C-alpha cells in the first residue's frame, strides 16, 4: 500500500548522484532548446551571448548561458501576448493558471502555467508533503486567503494528490480557523511562520484554547525563513506540540526544496525537477563544495509555459557537508535559505542578515514573537533600532532581558543596537509575510 512507502518517488529520490546529474543535464538540454525556440526574450539573450542549444554538453557549458533576473521579467511584461509578454512559450489559450509574485517591493511579475505545469507543481509538492510525513489519513487545514499568490495553492492540490483530506480555510478569520481545526480534528496545516505563531497567540490569549490541545502534529512553512531558524522553529513546535517543517519555493521558480522528517538541519533540493547552481557573489566562481555560501542560480527543468532557466534568485545558500540520514540522495542545503542577496545590507560597514536578529530575539525567554528592526542615520552614522515586546507578567525581568539581548546581538551580528521595549501587543501583527526590517537610510 502506498501509505507504507517511505518516499513519494522511491526511484528518483534514491537515485545515485551521478545518475541524477546525468538526468539533470539531459533535462536541461531539453528545456534550453524549448526556451531558445519559443521565447523571443530568452532567444535574444542567448543570441547576444552566442550560445545555441547544440553548444550545451556539460555543466560548464551551462554556466556560459546568461542568467535572468526578476527585473528583466518585469521589463518584458504587460505586453503581447498580454499580460505575459515575450517569454511566453505556449499559445495563450494553453495557459490555465495565472499567478503573480508577492514581493513587497517593485511591480509584481506575472506567471503563466499550463495545466501540465500545474500538475508539475502539485507533483513537486507531493514530494514535500510525503517527506514531511503527510499520508492519506491526514486531514490538512489550509488557513490562507486563496488569491493571486501561489502559496499554498500547490500545497492544497498536492495534499489531495497524495490522498489526504483537505479543509480549505480561506475566508475564515483566525478565530474561526482555530475553531474549525478543533471541530474537525485536523492533523496538519501549512502557513507562514509569522502566521503559525500569530494563530497560536490568538488561540491562547483571545480564545483560551491551548494550541497543544489541538490535533495538529505537522506544520509546513513557507514564505519566510523562520522554520529554518532554530529558535523560531522551536517556538512554533512548542506552541503547537507539532513538528514544523520548512520548504522553499517561489512563484517564478516552483517548489524547489524541502525539509524531511529527519529534520537534519538542511533542506533537500528536488534535484529531479531543478538544477541548482551556487555562485560566489564576489568572484562569480561556481561553488561545488560544502560550507561556502553563494547565491542560487536555478533552473526548473520541466516548466514550460513561462520557463525558469538560470534564474538569478538572489537566495543565499550553501551545500551541507553530510548526506541526510533519511536516505534521499537529493543534496541538502544547510540551514535552508539563509538570506537574500538583496536583504543583506551593510550597516556601519558590517554585513547584516536580518535572520540573525530573528534568531536572537526568538531565542530569548520573556520576549514576545514580534519585533521590528529599523536602520536609519543619526547624522552620518548608521543607527539600528530594535523594537521588541516583553511578555505580560515578565516586565520585572527587563534588565536581565536587555543585558542578554545586547550580548547575544553583539555576538551574532557584531553590531550595537538601540533597544526599544514595548508593551505586549503594541507592535504590528501580520497575517501572511511580515515586514519587520526597515532600512530608511537615503529615504529622508
Ligand atoms: Zn532527508
Amino acid at each position: 500500500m502506498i501509505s507504507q512507502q517511505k518516499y513519494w518517488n522511491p526511484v528518483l529520490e534514491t537515485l545515485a548522484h551521478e545518475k541524477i546529474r546525468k538526468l539533470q543535464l539531459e533535462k536541461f538540454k531539453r528545456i534550453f532548446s524549448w526556451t531558445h525556440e519559443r521565447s523571443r526574450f530568452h532567444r535574444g539573450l542567448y543570441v547576444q551571448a552566442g550560445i545555441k542549444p547544440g553548444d550545451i554538453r556539460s555543466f560548464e557549458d551551462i554556466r556560459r548561458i546568461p542568467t535572468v533576473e526578476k527585473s528583466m521579467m518585469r521589463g518584458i511584461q504587460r505586453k503581447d501576448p498580454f499580460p505575459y509578454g515575450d517569454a511566453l512559450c505556449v499559445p495563450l489559450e494553453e495557459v490555465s493558471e495565472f499567478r503573480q509574485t508577492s514581493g513587497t517591493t517593485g511591480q509584481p511579475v506575472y506567471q503563466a502555467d499550463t495545466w501540465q505545469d500545474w500538475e508539475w507543481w502539485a507533483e513537486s509538492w507531493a514530494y514535500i508533503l510525503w517527506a514531511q510525513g503527510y499520508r492519506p489519513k491526514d486531514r490538512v487545514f489550509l488557513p490562507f486567503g486563496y488569491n493571486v499568490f501561489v502559496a499554498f495553492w500547490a500545497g492544497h492540490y498536492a495534499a489531495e494528490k497524495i490522498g489526504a483530506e483537505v479543509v480549505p480555510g480561506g475566508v475564515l478569520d483566525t478565530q474561526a480557523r482555530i475553531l474549525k481545526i478543533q471541530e474537525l480534528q485536523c492533523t496538519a496545516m501549512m502557513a507562514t511562520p509569522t502566521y503559525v505563531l500569530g494563530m497560536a497567540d490568538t488561540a491562547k490569549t483571545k480564545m483560551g484554547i491551548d494550541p497543544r490541545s489541538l490535533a495538529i502534529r505537522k506544520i509546513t512553512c513557507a514564505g519566510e525563513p523562520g522554520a529554518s531558524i532554530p529558535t523560531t522553529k522551536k517556538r512554533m513546535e512548542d506552541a503547537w506540540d507539532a513538528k514544523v517543517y520548512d520548504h522553499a519555493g517561489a512563484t517564478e521558480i516552483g517548489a524547489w526544496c524541502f525539509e524531511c522528517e529527519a529534520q537534519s538541519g538542511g533542506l533537500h533540493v528536488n534535484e529531479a525537477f531543478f538544477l541548482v547552481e551556487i555562485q560566489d557573489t564576489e568572484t562569480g566562481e561556481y561553488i561545488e563544495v560544502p560550507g561556502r555560501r553563494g547565491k542560487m542560480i536555478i533552473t526548473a527543468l520541466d516548466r514550460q509555459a513561462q520557463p525558469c532557466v538560470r534564474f538569478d534568485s538572489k537566495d543565499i545558500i550553501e551545500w551541507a557537508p553530510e548526506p541526510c540520514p533519511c536516505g534521499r540522495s537529493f543534496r541538502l542545503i544547510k540551514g535552508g535559505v539563509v538570506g537574500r542577496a538583496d536583504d543583506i545590507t551593510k550597516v556601519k560597514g558590517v554585513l547584516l542578515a536580518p535572520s540573525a536578529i530573528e534568531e536572537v530575539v526568538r531565542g530569548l525567554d520573556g520576549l514576545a514573537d514580534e519585533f521590528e528592526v529599523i536602520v536609519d542615520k543619526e547624522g552620518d552614522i548608521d543607527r539600528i533600532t530594535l523594537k521588541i515586546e516583553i511578555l505580560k507578567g515578565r516586565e520585572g525581568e527587563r534588565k536581565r532581558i536587555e543585558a542578554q539581548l545586547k550580548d547575544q546581538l553583539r555576538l551574532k551580528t557584531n553590531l550595537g543596537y538601540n533597544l526599544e521595549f514595548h508593551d505586549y501587543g503594541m507592535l504590528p501583527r501580520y497575517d501572511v509575510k511580515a515586514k519587520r526590517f526597515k532600512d530608511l537610510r537615503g529615504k529622508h
Side-chain angles (χ1 to χ4, degrees):
M1 220 180 109
I2 189 170
S3 300
Q4 311 298 324
Q5 258 179 230
K6 187 172 173 191
Y7 310 109
W8 173 249
N9 187 321
V11 177
L12 290 174
E13 291 180 76
T14 56
L15 205 60
H17 186 62
E18 329 62 270
K19 288 191 177 157
I20 283 274
R21 294 295 273 174
K22 224 177 139 212
L23 177 71
Q24 287 182 317
L25 191 56
E26 289 315 308
K27 279 191 167 189
F28 187 93
K29 289 179 193 169
R30 193 178 63 186
I31 195 70
F32 182 67
S33 297
W34 165 272
T35 308
H36 184 276
E37 189 182 313
R38 293 172 174 243
S39 158
R40 211 153 32 160
F41 161 69
H42 287 89
R43 192 168 52 246
L45 290 178
Y46 303 152
V47 167
Q48 211 172 16
I51 295 178
K52 309 180 296 297
D55 299 338
I56 309 301
R57 287 179 208 92
S58 67
F59 289 100
E60 283 69 37
D61 295 334
I62 291 176
R63 292 170 184 172
R64 293 172 35 231
I65 298 171
T67 58
V68 172
E69 294 189 24
K70 197 176 204 162
S71 56
M72 297 159 85
M73 295 303 290
R74 278 193 194 110
I76 62 160
Q77 294 200 324
R78 292 163 182 79
K79 296 176 188 142
D80 284 338
F82 188 82
Y84 306 107
D86 275 350
L88 192 69
C89 290
V90 296
L92 207 46
E93 54 265 37
E94 285 181 29
V95 175
S96 63
E97 308 293 321
F98 169 88
R99 307 276 180 246
Q100 68 180 55
T101 55
S102 58
T104 41
T105 50
Q107 223 171 27
V109 173
Y110 299 146
Q111 177 71 45
D113 281 311
T114 61
W115 184 249
Q116 193 183 327
D117 288 332
W118 188 240
E119 286 184 327
W120 163 85
W121 262 105
E123 178 67 5
S124 63
W125 261 87
Y127 281 72
I128 300 174
L129 297 183
W130 203 264
Q132 299 178 348
Y134 287 68
R135 293 295 180 271
K137 66 178 186 315
D138 275 305
R139 184 170 296 145
V140 185
F141 190 78
L142 275 293
F144 78 101
Y146 287 70
N147 60 21
V148 293
F149 307 124
V150 76
F152 287 84
W153 277 102
H156 176 138
Y157 279 80
E160 292 179 344
K161 181 167 185 171
I162 69 170
E165 184 182 337
V166 174
V167 182
V171 297
L172 304 178
D173 67 15
T174 300
Q175 299 200 26
R177 285 170 177 168
I178 291 161
L179 290 174
K180 195 50 89 181
I181 287 172
Q182 189 177 46
E183 175 194 339
L184 296 175
Q185 298 174 15
C186 296
T187 57
M189 69 172 188
M190 306 174 197
T192 59
T194 290
Y195 196 58
V196 172
L197 289 170
M199 272 178 106
D201 192 55
T202 299
K204 274 185 282 194
T205 59
K206 299 213 173 92
M207 305 169 76
I209 294 175
D210 181 357
R212 300 172 65 90
S213 71
L214 303 171
I216 298 280
R217 291 296 167 267
K218 288 182 280 287
I219 300 173
T220 302
C221 286
E224 298 172 326
S228 280
I229 296 175
T231 53
T232 301
K233 189 190 196 80
K234 185 168 179 343
R235 277 194 179 218
M236 291 191 277
E237 293 197 327
D238 288 352
W240 288 88
D241 187 20
K243 288 281 184 196
V244 169
Y245 299 106
D246 200 9
H247 120 275
T251 318
E252 60 274 59
I253 302 171
W256 59 274
C257 84
F258 57 88
E259 186 174 9
C260 70
E261 275 186 296
Q263 293 189 311
S264 59
L267 267 55
H268 288 283
V269 173
N270 185 335
E271 295 188 284
F273 284 29
F274 297 92
L275 172 67
V276 163
E277 302 167 79
I278 306 179
Q279 188 180 27
D280 190 305
T281 51
E282 308 259 307
T283 65
E285 217 182 318
Y286 285 90
I287 301 170
E288 295 286 358
V289 292
R292 260 180 75 193
R293 285 183 180 179
K295 66 173 178 176
M296 176 174 78
I297 312 284
I298 188 164
T299 299
L301 297 166
D302 309 277
R303 197 175 190 180
Q304 295 189 335
Q306 190 175 317
C308 166
V309 178
R310 299 208 83 225
F311 182 68
D312 180 351
S313 72
K314 316 270 186 225
D315 287 326
I316 302 291
I317 57 171
E318 67 180 81
W319 295 117
E322 303 290 339
C324 186
C326 73
R328 285 180 181 78
S329 48
F330 290 169
R331 280 181 290 173
L332 289 172
I333 54 165
K334 190 180 162 193
V337 175
V338 291
R340 290 180 49 79
D342 292 347
D343 290 348
I344 295 176
T345 47
K346 267 196 176 162
V347 180
K348 294 180 188 169
V350 178
L351 284 177
L352 173 71
S355 57
I357 301 173
E358 174 170 343
E359 190 175 351
V360 171
V361 171
R362 297 277 169 75
L364 254 174
D365 184 36
L367 285 182
D369 298 324
E370 279 308 328
F371 65 96
E372 205 170 273
V373 183
I374 293 163
V375 184
D376 59 2
K377 275 188 183 295
E378 198 173 20
D380 278 341
I381 298 169
D382 291 340
R383 175 178 61 181
I384 325 176
T385 304
L386 172 60
K387 300 181 179 181
I388 53 268
E389 291 178 351
I390 293 198
L391 287 173
K392 273 193 187 128
R394 308 289 292 271
E395 292 85 355
E397 298 171 50
R398 180 173 158 167
K399 274 223 158 94
R400 188 260 313 158
I401 292 172
E402 192 168 349
Q404 280 184 343
L405 202 51
K406 282 204 157 141
D407 271 4
Q408 291 182 23
L409 285 168
R410 166 79 60 193
L411 201 71
K412 283 263 177 205
T413 67
N414 226 355
L415 286 163
Y417 294 73
N418 184 21
L419 298 180
E420 228 177 68
F421 284 88
H422 291 258
D423 287 340
Y424 178 73
M426 296 311 287
L427 293 177
R429 260 58 179 167
Y430 301 88
D431 265 4
V432 191
K433 287 190 198 183
K435 194 155 172 42
R436 300 194 180 92
F437 188 85
K438 291 174 184 150
D439 191 344
L440 306 179
R441 292 171 298 179
K443 287 190 183 160
H444 292 296

